[in-house]
Amino acid sequence: MEFEVVIGLEVHVQLNTKSKMFCSCPTSFGDEPNKNTCPVCLGLPGALPTPNKEALKKAVMFGKAVGSEINRKSIFDRKNYFYPDLPSGYQISQMPIPIVGLGKLNIDYEDGTSREIGVTRAHLEVDAGKNIHGDGHSKVDLNRAGTPLLEIVSEPDMRSSDEAVLYLKKLHSIVKYLGISDANMQEGSFRCDANVSIRPKGDEKLYTRVELKNINSFKFVQKAIETEIERQTEAWEDGEYDDVIYQETRLYDSAKNETRSMRGKEEAADYRYFPDPDLLEMVVDEDMEKETDNIPELPDEKKERYIKDFKVTAYDASVITMEIETANFFEDLMSKGVSGKNAVTWMTVELQGRLNKEGLAYENSPVSAEKLAELVVRIEDGTISAKAGKEVLDYLMENEVSVDESIDKLGLKQVSDDGAIFAIIDEVIAANPDNVERYKGGQEKLFGFFVGQVMKASKGSANPAKVNQLLKERLK
Ligand code: ADP
Ligand code: MG
Ligand code: ZN
């Protein structure tokens, strides 16, 4: 039987506000345990929460970026459960009326086409603290308790692990463009849960979903989902689907590349959600509307602009716009007026390849965008060949010199001067009278031989376009 994969993602984005969601404690990372706490985030009885306006603003910006309906009035609810890192015994979240309603985002395929994925909702909530186990003791650090999270829930619209990764990368990209989060997956400021089910192809109904947690890199998202699809498919094929696949939360173990059961999945009813009586409805007023109207240029808009203004392919444009740092580098490169096509090649193939080898990124590249642009200019104006350009780039990676200095130093300047090239051509012609005879007698294939001889005699420094042109003239 042929199966179809159904995936929906829940992403927790830690908003980069200075203070926590409902108190003025700092959100800074790595401080002495329990230093950044107060009666509110410690969950002491009687302490009253005050919503953080910046967090609200960031949530609204996100909603606008994905074309969502913004709920002008949203409600905070208590989600009740017990865990040592949650001293109040409930998490403040949003259930029936989230700040951000239905929206969508585009995922981009390699062939340049795109597809829309639904964003069901996004709501504000607070993070819990951390339990730390070891030395025969378990300790609780509440520094993180109460930091604002935006939980972004997708529709079950993805049909493969590839699509899940594309969605996640796009979401990551949008969040970074907006500057509302550090969105660091390893440090946990951008966390993803993947819901996975399979169904016979053609079936419209949704089958039992399994929720995968603990996936902290794009690579693991892909692997965790693949592993789970395999488990479900095998169960179906072995006739065991109804016995072993049930709604549950499973943990992905990247070391063993397997998922294992963590707990049965709670239903919403288990949490006894109810509106938090300590909080009023949260209102998006006129001022907030205005403040969030000027969101920065987003990846899709940038992509369209690059295709139109710089004549790069749709796929190249989506690769370059994926990360804001890459897009910024590209724009600096383009400000020197080089061709889009050359800029893409020199940046994403030549420079990127070298950066990868050194474990570097565009932000800390030893060759700045301005310098790379100068190099491309020198190739475009014929000062050096593309081949020599690669040598220059190698040299620039290691040495802090200008492009022109390194061209001089490496002796790579192309000879484009007519007189100098004619002199070499004349030598080559004088040394090969037989071939000149034959060429003039109709063996036009010999032209390549002459080009080769001239290039060789110039030790590769002659401008090939010039050599072609002048040779044709001499051999007429
Ligand atoms: P919960 O908090 O209980 O996990 P949410 O509504 O927050 O519930 O998230 C449910 C997620 O699971 C959504 O991303 C949704 O698209 C996805 N989902 C729902 N049903 C299925 C299914 N049958 N297969 C795969 N994903 C699903
Ligand atoms: Mg879930
Ligand atoms: Zn506090």
Side-chain angles (χ1 to χ4, degrees):
M1 183 177 337
E2 229 194 302
F3 293 102
E4 179 172 62
V5 174
V6 177
I7 302 164
L9 300 180
E10 292 160 81
V11 177
H12 288 87
V13 174
Q14 190 183 320
L15 298 175
N16 56 356
T17 55
K18 286 202 185 69
S19 55
K20 294 186 180 180
M21 185 65 219
F22 294 111
C23 60
S24 53
C25 292
T27 51
S28 55
F29 195 73
D31 288 330
E32 182 194 324
N34 298 308
K35 182 169 167 247
N36 305 326
T37 55
C38 73
V40 174
C41 56
L42 289 175
L44 300 187
L48 289 174
T50 315
N52 182 329
K53 202 172 163 191
E54 275 303 298
L56 171 63
K57 183 176 159 191
K58 287 176 176 181
V60 173
M61 281 170 70
F62 174 77
K64 290 190 174 178
V66 294
S68 287
E69 194 71 40
I70 304 293
N71 288 317
R72 301 290 291 264
K73 287 179 179 171
S74 64
I75 310 279
F76 284 113
D77 300 284
R78 290 186 180 181
K79 178 179 179 179
N80 299 281
Y81 67 90
F82 172 79
Y83 210 61
D85 62 11
L86 186 76
S88 56
Y90 60 86
Q91 177 194 30
I92 304 179
S93 182
Q94 300 191 297
M95 188 54 174
I97 311 179
I99 172 77
V100 174
L102 189 64
K104 59 186 180 329
L105 64 75
N106 285 316
I107 56 173
D108 307 304
Y109 301 103
E110 275 200 35
D111 66 2
T113 61
S114 305
R115 186 165 83 82
E116 247 173 42
I117 302 290
V119 174
T120 315
R121 54 184 276 155
H123 60 258
L124 282 166
E125 59 184 30
V126 293
D127 210 344
K130 266 184 193 157
N131 296 324
I132 302 152
H133 310 286
D135 303 336
H137 298 280
S138 285
K139 301 172 185 171
V140 182
D141 177 5
L142 294 172
N143 277 349
R144 204 182 61 183
T147 51
L149 298 177
L150 186 66
E151 176 173 343
I152 303 159
V153 182
S154 86
E155 290 288 289
D157 282 351
M158 286 144 279
R159 295 290 170 266
S160 68
S161 60
D162 285 341
E163 287 193 347
V165 173
L166 288 177
Y167 168 87
L168 203 60
K169 285 194 170 165
K170 194 56 169 287
L171 191 62
H172 189 258
S173 164
I174 291 172
V175 165
K176 292 281 295 241
Y177 269 67
L178 292 171
I180 60 175
S181 170
D182 304 339
N184 186 321
M185 272 188 113
Q186 274 72 46
E187 286 176 7
S189 52
F190 189 89
R191 312 197 282 266
C192 165
D193 301 339
N195 293 273
V196 181
S197 66
I198 58 167
R199 64 186 175 194
K201 212 172 173 92
D203 209 333
E204 289 291 307
K205 155 177 159 213
L206 288 172
Y207 283 71
T208 305
R209 73 176 152 117
V210 166
E211 185 186 52
L212 305 176
K213 282 200 186 287
N214 200 30
I215 15 194
N216 61 2
S217 77
F218 293 114
K219 195 175 105 199
F220 290 160
V221 171
Q222 180 121 39
K223 286 192 151 188
I225 292 173
E226 283 302 322
T227 310
E228 180 58 23
I229 292 170
E230 235 169 78
R231 192 180 72 91
Q232 293 186 18
T233 311
E234 268 169 32
W236 194 304
E237 283 168 348
D238 297 348
E240 289 172 350
Y241 182 85
D242 289 332
D243 300 326
V244 299
I245 306 300
Y246 43 90
Q247 194 172 326
E248 64 173 339
T249 299
R250 294 178 74 86
L251 216 56
Y252 176 64
D253 181 338
S254 58
K256 295 193 181 138
N257 194 34
E258 62 178 31
T259 66
R260 58 169 178 271
S261 188
M262 183 174 148
R263 56 166 188 256
K265 178 74 199 161
E266 303 83 355
E267 295 294 329
D270 298 333
Y271 291 117
R272 308 256 159 205
Y273 280 97
F274 66 88
D276 191 315
D278 289 343
L279 286 158
L280 299 170
E281 45 179 28
M282 189 167 56
V283 179
V284 177
D285 60 14
E286 289 293 320
D287 285 351
M288 179 66 69
E289 275 290 353
K290 277 203 203 97
E291 273 182 73
T292 52
D293 258 350
N294 291 322
I295 52 175
E297 186 183 34
L298 293 168
D300 284 355
E301 293 158 11
K302 248 194 213 309
K303 181 180 155 191
E304 289 313 313
R305 183 162 65 82
Y306 288 2
I307 296 172
K308 191 165 150 279
D309 293 358
F310 303 143
K311 311 276 177 286
V312 302
T313 66
Y315 179 66
D316 284 341
S318 64
V319 170
I320 296 168
T321 52
M322 184 62 80
E323 285 182 40
I324 182 107
E325 293 87 357
T326 314
N328 287 341
F329 194 95
F330 182 70
E331 286 184 22
D332 289 344
L333 187 55
M334 290 311 297
S335 66
K336 292 270 169 40
V338 298
S339 92
K341 188 165 172 280
N342 285 338
V344 168
T345 309
W346 281 91
M347 179 177 149
T348 65
V349 182
E350 298 301 335
L351 178 60
Q352 172 111 57
R354 287 164 176 79
L355 292 175
N356 288 350
K357 252 189 233 151
E358 310 274 333
L360 295 168
Y362 288 113
E363 307 92 272
N364 50 19
S365 167
V367 178
S368 67
E370 287 73 18
K371 216 179 245 187
L372 188 64
E374 280 165 32
L375 175 60
V376 179
V377 166
R378 286 293 169 257
I379 296 162
E380 289 184 350
D381 71 11
T383 306
I384 54 169
S385 67
K387 187 161 159 268
K390 296 181 189 180
E391 259 181 77
V392 174
L393 187 53
D394 284 334
Y395 191 76
L396 293 174
M397 290 290 291
E398 303 291 334
N399 299 282
E400 232 177 280
V401 291
S402 75
V403 170
D404 287 342
E405 276 166 350
S406 60
I407 292 173
D408 279 347
K409 178 115 189 158
L410 298 169
L412 291 171
K413 201 171 233 152
Q414 281 195 130
V415 177
S416 299
D417 171 60
D418 286 13
I421 296 178
F422 269 135
I424 304 172
I425 288 176
D426 291 341
E427 275 172 36
V428 168
I429 286 178
N432 297 281
D434 298 354
N435 279 340
V436 174
E437 254 339 274
R438 274 189 240 142
Y439 176 80
K440 288 189 170 162
Q443 285 197 37
E444 290 189 2
K445 270 191 276 173
L446 279 170
F447 191 74
F449 162 80
F450 288 111
V451 173
Q453 290 298 305
V454 175
M455 291 306 293
K456 199 170 146 201
S458 77
K459 299 201 178 66
S461 71
N463 178 337
K466 263 276 143 80
V467 170
N468 266 277
Q469 179 205 330
L470 300 181
L471 251 179
K472 277 206 185 104
E473 227 169 90
R474 267 297 194 267
L475 291 171
K476 247 204 302 237

